[in-house]
Amino acid sequence: MATQTLKIPNKLSEITLGQYQQFSKISTDDADEDFLQKKTIEIFCGINLIDVVKIKYTSIIRVIGVINKMFSQKSVFTNRFKMNNTEYGFVPKLDDMTYGEFVDLDTLMSDWSTMDQAMAVLFRKVKDTHKDKYTIEEYNQEESHDMKQMPLDVVFGAIFFLESLGKELTNHSLSYLGKKSKSMTEQQKQTLMKSMGGGLHSTPLVKAI
């Protein structure tokens, strides 16, 4: 253990979605704190659990502090990134998403265990580029690419982007409702408010974040 180098991530871009999915499985309200700390180091620092106990206690505390600080970093939306020498692009226009894509995305984003599949809906291989514009492959559920290796900062950025978009849509809807409320029946108001409660921005995951 003395000769093993501990790789401590300092940026979310150094963490993969797959690693975070592993962490999410054990990060529960009733998780044992000691076990959680050891697994955190195992998962994010690439070290066997049996070797974690051989690290100095002060070093463990320092590493956990670095990782916690890393997760407090602000997420920025990134529409294109490279993974395994292949460029992937975010859906250029969400309005053009098919019903099937939207349903899959809304379902898959409800849990971290399926977040890699959700990212495969949002990000596809870039086909052509022209300055800042680009086109991507069509969505194929059966042939979606494995996104477990995509950087976590891109994942968080996409999630926060969708959350912000959902809030914006809700605010616009509330503003519209306020202006039109005088001419709407109570039933019409209830129907509109109910429709605002659905959709991507209301998924449990986005709400939690």
Side-chain angles (χ1 to χ4, degrees), residues 10-202:
N10 291 288
K11 298 181 294 184
L12 290 176
S13 59
E14 298 174 359
I15 296 292
T16 67
L17 171 55
Q19 286 177 303
Y20 193 78
Q21 287 177 307
Q22 293 179 49
F23 175 73
S24 68
K25 291 180 181 179
I26 61 169
S27 182
T28 59
D29 292 336
D30 58 348
D32 178 75
E33 184 177 354
D34 177 61
F35 173 75
L36 185 59
Q37 288 183 339
K38 289 187 290 187
K39 288 294 291 184
T40 297
I41 294 178
E42 177 193 36
I43 293 171
F44 296 128
C45 298
I47 181 175
N48 293 327
L49 187 63
I50 193 173
D51 291 324
V52 176
V53 297
K54 302 175 184 177
I55 303 175
K56 291 182 180 180
Y57 174 75
T58 52
S59 296
I60 292 287
I61 298 302
R62 181 177 65 85
V63 172
I64 292 297
V66 171
I67 293 176
N68 285 338
K69 184 178 180 180
M70 175 188 65
F71 278 106
S72 67
Q73 296 173 3
K74 183 178 180 180
S75 298
V76 179
F77 175 64
T78 303
N79 65 340
R80 292 159 73 175
F81 73 97
K82 283 192 174 182
M83 180 176 66
N84 299 326
N85 297 319
T86 300
E87 186 175 28
Y88 293 84
F90 190 84
V91 176
K93 192 174 182 182
L94 292 175
D95 287 346
D96 290 338
M97 287 181 63
T98 66
Y99 177 76
E101 290 172 336
F102 184 85
V103 170
D104 282 354
L105 182 61
D106 201 38
T107 301
L108 295 169
M109 285 192 72
S110 63
D111 194 282
W112 274 107
S113 65
T114 55
M115 186 58 69
D116 56 311
Q117 299 174 57
M119 290 299 116
V121 179
L122 289 172
F123 291 93
R124 328 265 181 75
K125 279 187 176 181
V126 173
K127 295 195 302 182
D128 301 299
T129 61
H130 179 67
K131 295 184 179 180
D132 293 333
K133 296 183 179 181
Y134 59 91
T135 59
I136 57 176
E137 291 183 341
E138 291 186 5
Y139 174 60
N140 187 328
Q141 187 181 47
E142 302 300 324
E143 300 179 4
S144 59
H145 299 280
D146 184 3
M147 305 301 269
K148 288 183 179 293
Q149 292 302 311
M150 72 180 292
L152 193 61
D153 63 324
V154 178
V155 178
F156 280 1
I159 292 174
F160 281 113
F161 169 75
L162 293 177
E163 182 199 31
S164 299
L165 181 64
K167 287 181 178 179
E168 183 178 342
L169 291 174
T170 299
N171 289 336
H172 282 310
S173 298
L174 287 172
S175 177
Y176 174 83
L177 178 60
K179 293 178 181 178
K180 298 295 183 180
S181 61
K182 293 183 179 180
S183 61
M184 295 174 67
T185 65
E186 188 61 32
Q187 184 176 1
Q188 288 175 324
K189 294 178 186 178
Q190 292 299 324
T191 299
L192 178 58
M193 291 300 292
K194 185 179 294 185
S195 68
M196 288 163 51
L200 182 60
H201 59 278
S202 65

